[in-house]
Amino acid sequence: MTQLVNEGNAMRADAQRNRARILAAADEVFAAKGAAASTEEVAAKAGVAIGTVFRHFPTKNDLLTALMKELVRELAAEVESLVRQGDPATSLFTFFAHLVERASSRKTVVDLLGVDIRVSEQLQLLREAVGILLDQAQAAGVVRSNVLLDEVMALLAATSQGALHSGWDADLRERTLAIIFTGLRSAQL
Amino acid sequence: MTQLVNEGNAMRADAQRNRARILAAADEVFAAKGAAASTEEVAAKAGVAIGTVFRHFPTKNDLLTALMKELVRELAAEVESLVRQGDPATSLFTFFAHLVERASSRKTVVDLLGVDIRVSEQLQLLREAVGILLDQAQAAGVVRSNVLLDEVMALLAATSQGALHSGWDADLRERTLAIIFTGLRSAQL
Amino acid sequence: MTQLVNEGNAMRADAQRNRARILAAADEVFAAKGAAASTEEVAAKAGVAIGTVFRHFPTKNDLLTALMKELVRELAAEVESLVRQGDPATSLFTFFAHLVERASSRKTVVDLLGVDIRVSEQLQLLREAVGILLDQAQAAGVVRSNVLLDEVMALLAATSQGALHSGWDADLRERTLAIIFTGLRSAQL
Amino acid sequence: MTQLVNEGNAMRADAQRNRARILAAADEVFAAKGAAASTEEVAAKAGVAIGTVFRHFPTKNDLLTALMKELVRELAAEVESLVRQGDPATSLFTFFAHLVERASSRKTVVDLLGVDIRVSEQLQLLREAVGILLDQAQAAGVVRSNVLLDEVMALLAATSQGALHSGWDADLRERTLAIIFTGLRSAQL
DNA sequence: GATGAATGAGTGTTCATTCAT
DNA sequence: GATGAATGAACACTCATTCAT
C-alpha cells in the first residue's frame, strides 16, 4: 500500500511542529523571492535557529524538494477529488486554471520546475493524475483525441511559469487560458 | 555629457570593441548557465579584466538589461523583415515558433524576464512589432478577431519559459505550439 | 556526592554499560578519524543519544581525557605484567615496540597528546611504570646508566606520533626502533 | 634547469606584498594554533580582508600547502649550504638538530606532515637533500652503512612531532637527540 | 537517567563592486 | 580607459553544547 502522505512517523511533537513551521516559512519565503532566497531568512520567518532548519533538511535542496513534494501531493489530491466528484468534461480545464492561478502568486510552484532538482520523479505522480483528467476529457469528447499528455503537461508548465514571471492578472489569465482551451478542444484546422 | 550606459555614441574604438565582446560573452555565458553565472566568468570569456566589464555596465543588472535590449532589438528587426517580406497569414506563427525555439536553448531569453528588470519598457518595442503581425494575421482571417495582443504576448512568454525550463525537444515544441496556434485560429467554442 | 566525571562508583547498571559503550565507540571513532571527528558520530556508534554522551562526559575534552586515562591504565597494566614476569633485560624494548606498533594504527594514542589536555597528570602513572622498566634495563646493563627517564619518554612519544602520522609499516618501524635501541644500549661516543 | 624558488612571476607589487604578508601571518597563526586555526584569523593578522586570502589561495588547503612548500624550500636551501660548506661528518647531525629545534616551536612544521595534504611530492625534495647528507656521513664513516634514508626520515619526522607536541625544552631535545645520534653512529650490538 | 531537538557561534567559500596602479 | 587586486557582506553548512520532553 503506497502512501502519498507520510513524512512524520515517530517524531517528537515539537519537532513535528517545527518541521511544519519551517515548511510554511519556506513556502512563503521562496514563493516571494524564489529559490535564491537564503535559508537564514526561512529560519527567521519560522522563528527557529538556522541549525534547526538544517537538522530537518540537511541541505537547502532537501528543503526545496520537500516543498515540491508537498505541493505535488496537494495537487494530486485535488486531481483525485476532481476525478471522483467533478464533471469529467470540465475537470481538466478546472484543474488547469486553478494551477495557473496558484502559480501566479507563488514563485515556488514555478521555480521548482527548473533548476537542478530532479523533479521528474516527483512530477511523475502529478503527471499520472493529470493523465486521468485528460482521459476523461477525451472520453467526454471535449478534447481532441490526438492531444497527448506531453503537450498538456508542457502547456501547464509553460503557463504556470508565464503567469508568475510576467505577473498576469486574473483577466489576462482567463483570456490566455481560453485560447489554450480552445486549442485543446477544437478540431485541427 | 556622460551616460551611465553608453551605447556607441562617441566611444574610443577599443572601448566599442570591448563593449561588443563583453555583450557577446555575456550572451554565451548567461545562455548556458543562467543569470546566476558570475560576472567574472563573463569577463574571462570576453578576454577583458573584470573592471572593464563594470566600467561598461556599472551593475550586473545593467549588463543583463543591455543583453535584453539587444535581444529585443534583434527580435524587432526580425518582425520588421517578416512584415515587409513575409506572408501576412503565417508570419505571426513563424515568428512565434522561431522565438520559442530560440528560447529553448538560451537561458538568457527567459531568465531576463525573471530578474528584477523592468522589462515592460524594453518589451514595448517588441510588443508593438508583434502587434503588427497580429493585425496582419487577423486581417488575413487566420486569427480570431477577438484575440488581443495581451494574450499573444502572454503565450509567447509562457511558451518561451516553458520550452527552456522544461527542456522541450523539437517534437514536443511543435505539438505544443500546434495546440496554441489552433486556439488562436479557430472559433471559440 | 555528585561527581563531574563519574568513573564507576555508585552508578546504575545501564549507566555503567553506556559509559563503557561510549568509551569503546569513542576509541574506535577517534582512532580512525582523529580527535576532529564529531561527538555525534561517537554517540551513533555507541548506540546512544548525543545527550547521553554529554551527561557522562560534560565536554568533548572530558571524553578525550577519559579515553587517555583508560589508555594509560592499560599501558601501565602491561608494564606491571612485564615487570612481574618479563625478562628485565628486554622488557623496556618490548614495551617500547609494542606501544609504537599500537600507535601506528590508532590516531587516538597520538592525537591525545596534541589537544589541550594537560597530559602530565595522566602520564605520571605511565611515566612511573616505564621508570621501573628503565631501572631494570639499566640494572641488567643493557641501557647506558646516564640515560634519563625523560629521554625515554620523549622517544616513546616521538616515535608513537611518527609511526602514526607518517604511516610506518612494520618493517620501517622495526628498523627505526633498532636505531633508537642501539642508541640506548651502546656507550656514548 | 629546475627552479626551487619561483612563485611570483609577473604579479603586481601590492599583490606580492600581500601574498607575502598572508604567508607570514599564516605561518605564525598555524604555528601557534595548528592547522585548525581559522582562515579569518590569518586574514586579520595579515591585515587584509578575507577575500584577499582566498584570492591568493583559493582553498585553505592551498594555503597550507604553500606554507609547506616554502618550508621545504628553506630546509632544502639549508641542506644545500651544508653540503657546500659544512663538515661532511657532522652536517647530518647539525641539520637534524636544527630541524627538530625549529619544529619544537612551530606547529606548522609538524602538522603539515600529517592530515590530508599530499605532502609526498613536496617532501621528495627534502628527502633527496637529506639523502646527500646521509651519504656524506656514511662516507665519512660516522654513520653505520646499513642505515637507510627511510629510517633517517622517519626519525626526523618523529622527533619533530615529539618536540612540538610534548614541548621539549632545549635540554631534553639535546639529550634525546644524543641517543638517536648514538644509535646512528655506533655499530649494532 | 536517556532522548534527541534546538541553539547559535563559527567556518570555508563566493561574488558583486570598488579603487589603486 | 584598462587592469586586476582588495573588499566584505552573504551564504550553506557543521558541531559542541543545552534543555525540554
Side-chain angles (χ1 to χ4, degrees):
Chain A
M1 176 186 24
T2 22
Q3 332 164 250
L4 284 190
V5 186
N6 186 335
E7 206 92 35
N9 13 18
M11 212 186 211
R12 257 166 51 178
D14 54 344
Q16 286 234 30
R17 198 167 45 248
N18 273 341
R19 198 191 129 92
R21 265 193 201 166
I22 291 168
L23 274 176
D27 192 33
E28 259 189 79
V29 170
F30 292 140
K33 307 199 175 179
S38 87
T39 313
E40 193 75 51
E41 195 176 346
V42 172
K45 178 149 268 161
V48 301
I50 184 65
T52 302
V53 175
F54 278 95
R55 160 170 271 266
H56 285 279
F57 308 94
T59 275
K60 188 182 180 178
N61 228 328
D62 289 339
L63 176 53
L64 255 2
T65 304
L67 228 41
M68 172 75 186
K69 268 190 182 163
E70 187 109 314
L71 178 62
V72 168
R73 205 176 290 141
E74 283 177 42
L75 294 177
E78 191 183 335
V79 170
E80 211 175 334
S81 124
L82 277 173
V83 167
R84 221 173 308 114
Q85 330 166 10
D87 172 2
T90 59
S91 285
L92 176 63
F93 302 127
T94 304
F95 176 71
F96 202 125
H98 183 210
L99 176 56
V100 174
E101 176 189 348
R102 186 165 178 166
S104 71
S105 69
R106 308 238 117 195
K107 215 164 185 309
T108 327
V109 178
V110 163
D111 264 356
L112 291 178
L113 303 173
V115 218
D116 70 348
I117 308 170
R118 272 312 77 206
V119 199
S120 2
E121 204 186 333
Q122 321 291 342
L123 271 188
Q124 198 50 34
L125 188 62
L126 183 59
R127 186 185 161 82
E128 281 166 20
V130 174
I132 299 177
L133 295 183
L134 177 59
D135 285 347
Q136 288 189 341
Q138 288 178 323
V142 298
V143 165
R144 276 185 292 119
S145 59
N146 65 339
V147 166
L148 302 182
L149 181 52
D150 275 346
E151 289 104 79
V152 176
M153 293 303 291
L155 286 166
L156 217 38
T159 43
S160 293
Q161 289 173 277
L164 168 69
H165 288 313
S166 314
W168 299 353
D169 59 27
D171 190 53
L172 177 56
R173 209 161 58 226
E174 200 177 320
R175 304 183 58 85
T176 305
L177 290 183
I179 292 175
I180 289 177
F181 292 170
T182 302
L184 290 170
R185 269 190 274 241
S186 60
Q188 187 102 33
L189 289 202
Chain B
M1 176 185 27
T2 23
Q3 317 164 259
L4 268 194
V5 181
N6 234 321
E7 264 182 293
N9 15 14
M11 218 187 213
R12 263 167 43 178
D14 57 341
Q16 286 237 29
R17 199 167 47 245
N18 274 344
R19 201 191 123 90
R21 266 193 199 169
I22 291 169
L23 275 176
D27 191 34
E28 258 188 83
V29 171
F30 292 139
K33 308 201 175 178
S38 88
T39 314
E40 193 79 49
E41 193 176 344
V42 172
K45 177 147 268 162
V48 302
I50 183 67
T52 304
V53 174
F54 277 90
R55 163 165 282 271
H56 283 281
F57 308 95
T59 275
K60 189 182 181 179
N61 226 332
D62 290 336
L63 176 55
L64 254 4
T65 304
L67 222 44
M68 173 75 187
K69 270 193 181 163
E70 186 105 319
L71 178 62
V72 168
R73 208 175 288 141
E74 282 176 45
L75 293 176
E78 191 183 336
V79 170
E80 211 175 336
S81 124
L82 276 172
V83 168
R84 220 173 311 111
Q85 333 166 9
D87 172 1
T90 59
S91 285
L92 176 62
F93 302 128
T94 303
F95 176 71
F96 202 124
H98 182 210
L99 176 56
V100 174
E101 177 190 346
R102 183 164 180 167
S104 71
S105 71
R106 306 237 117 194
K107 223 162 183 308
T108 328
V109 178
V110 162
D111 260 359
L112 291 177
L113 305 173
V115 212
D116 75 344
I117 309 171
R118 270 311 74 205
V119 199
S120 3
E121 202 185 336
Q122 323 290 344
L123 270 186
Q124 200 49 38
L125 186 62
L126 182 59
R127 184 184 163 80
E128 282 167 18
V130 174
I132 300 176
L133 294 183
L134 176 60
D135 285 348
Q136 287 188 343
Q138 289 177 321
V142 297
V143 165
R144 277 185 291 118
S145 58
N146 66 340
V147 166
L148 302 183
L149 180 52
D150 275 345
E151 290 102 80
V152 176
M153 292 303 290
L155 287 166
L156 216 38
T159 43
S160 293
Q161 289 173 273
L164 169 67
H165 288 313
S166 314
W168 299 354
D169 59 25
D171 189 51
L172 178 56
R173 210 161 58 224
E174 200 178 319
R175 303 183 59 86
T176 305
L177 289 183
I179 292 175
I180 289 176
F181 292 170
T182 301
L184 290 170
R185 268 190 276 241
S186 62
Q188 187 101 30
L189 289 203
Chain C
M1 174 185 27
T2 22
Q3 318 163 258
L4 267 194
V5 181
N6 236 321
E7 264 182 292
N9 13 17
M11 219 186 210
R12 263 167 42 179
D14 57 341
Q16 286 236 31
R17 200 168 45 248
N18 274 343
R19 201 191 124 90
R21 267 194 199 165
I22 291 169
L23 275 176
D27 192 35
E28 259 189 82
V29 170
F30 293 139
K33 306 200 175 177
S38 89
T39 314
E40 193 79 49
E41 195 177 341
V42 172
K45 178 148 267 161
V48 301
I50 184 68
T52 304
V53 174
F54 277 91
R55 165 166 280 271
H56 283 281
F57 308 95
T59 277
K60 187 181 182 181
N61 227 330
D62 290 336
L63 175 54
L64 255 5
T65 305
L67 222 45
M68 174 74 188
K69 270 191 181 164
E70 185 104 321
L71 178 63
V72 167
R73 207 175 288 142
E74 281 176 44
L75 294 177
E78 190 183 338
V79 169
E80 211 175 336
S81 124
L82 277 172
V83 168
R84 222 175 307 114
Q85 332 167 10
D87 172 3
T90 59
S91 286
L92 176 62
F93 301 128
T94 302
F95 175 72
F96 201 124
H98 182 212
L99 176 57
V100 174
E101 176 191 346
R102 183 165 179 166
S104 71
S105 70
R106 305 238 117 193
K107 222 164 185 305
T108 328
V109 179
V110 162
D111 259 0
L112 290 177
L113 305 172
V115 210
D116 76 343
I117 310 170
R118 267 316 70 206
V119 200
S120 1
E121 202 186 335
Q122 323 290 345
L123 271 186
Q124 200 52 36
L125 187 61
L126 181 60
R127 185 185 162 80
E128 281 166 19
V130 174
I132 299 177
L133 295 183
L134 176 58
D135 285 347
Q136 288 188 341
Q138 289 178 320
V142 298
V143 166
R144 277 184 291 117
S145 59
N146 65 339
V147 166
L148 302 182
L149 181 53
D150 275 345
E151 289 102 81
V152 176
M153 292 302 290
L155 286 166
L156 217 38
T159 44
S160 293
Q161 289 174 272
L164 169 69
H165 288 312
S166 314
W168 300 354
D169 59 25
D171 189 52
L172 179 55
R173 209 160 57 224
E174 200 178 319
R175 305 182 56 86
T176 305
L177 289 183
I179 292 174
I180 290 177
F181 293 170
T182 303
L184 289 170
R185 271 190 273 241
S186 60
Q188 187 101 32
L189 290 202
Chain D
M1 177 185 28
T2 21
Q3 332 164 250
L4 286 190
V5 187
N6 187 334
E7 206 91 36
N9 14 16
M11 211 187 213
R12 256 165 52 177
D14 54 345
Q16 287 235 30
R17 198 167 45 248
N18 273 341
R19 198 191 130 92
R21 267 193 200 167
I22 291 168
L23 274 176
D27 192 35
E28 259 189 81
V29 170
F30 292 139
K33 307 200 175 178
S38 86
T39 315
E40 193 77 50
E41 195 175 346
V42 171
K45 177 148 269 161
V48 302
I50 185 64
T52 303
V53 175
F54 279 92
R55 160 169 272 265
H56 285 279
F57 308 95
T59 276
K60 188 181 180 180
N61 227 329
D62 289 339
L63 176 54
L64 254 3
T65 304
L67 226 42
M68 172 75 186
K69 268 190 182 164
E70 188 107 315
L71 178 62
V72 168
R73 205 176 290 141
E74 282 176 44
L75 295 177
E78 191 183 336
V79 169
E80 211 174 335
S81 125
L82 278 172
V83 168
R84 222 175 305 110
Q85 331 167 11
D87 172 3
T90 60
S91 286
L92 176 63
F93 302 127
T94 303
F95 176 71
F96 201 126
H98 181 209
L99 175 56
V100 174
E101 176 190 347
R102 186 166 178 165
S104 70
S105 69
R106 308 240 114 194
K107 217 164 184 310
T108 327
V109 177
V110 163
D111 262 358
L112 291 177
L113 303 173
V115 219
D116 72 346
I117 309 169
R118 272 313 78 207
V119 199
S120 4
E121 205 184 333
Q122 321 291 342
L123 270 187
Q124 199 50 35
L125 189 62
L126 182 59
R127 187 184 161 81
E128 282 165 20
V130 174
I132 299 177
L133 294 184
L134 177 59
D135 285 347
Q136 289 188 341
Q138 289 178 321
V142 297
V143 166
R144 277 186 291 118
S145 58
N146 66 339
V147 166
L148 301 183
L149 180 52
D150 274 345
E151 291 103 79
V152 176
M153 291 304 289
L155 287 166
L156 217 38
T159 43
S160 293
Q161 288 173 277
L164 169 68
H165 289 313
S166 314
W168 300 353
D169 60 24
D171 189 53
L172 178 54
R173 208 160 58 226
E174 200 178 319
R175 303 183 57 86
T176 305
L177 289 183
I179 292 174
I180 289 177
F181 292 172
T182 301
L184 291 170
R185 268 190 275 241
S186 59
Q188 188 102 30
L189 288 202

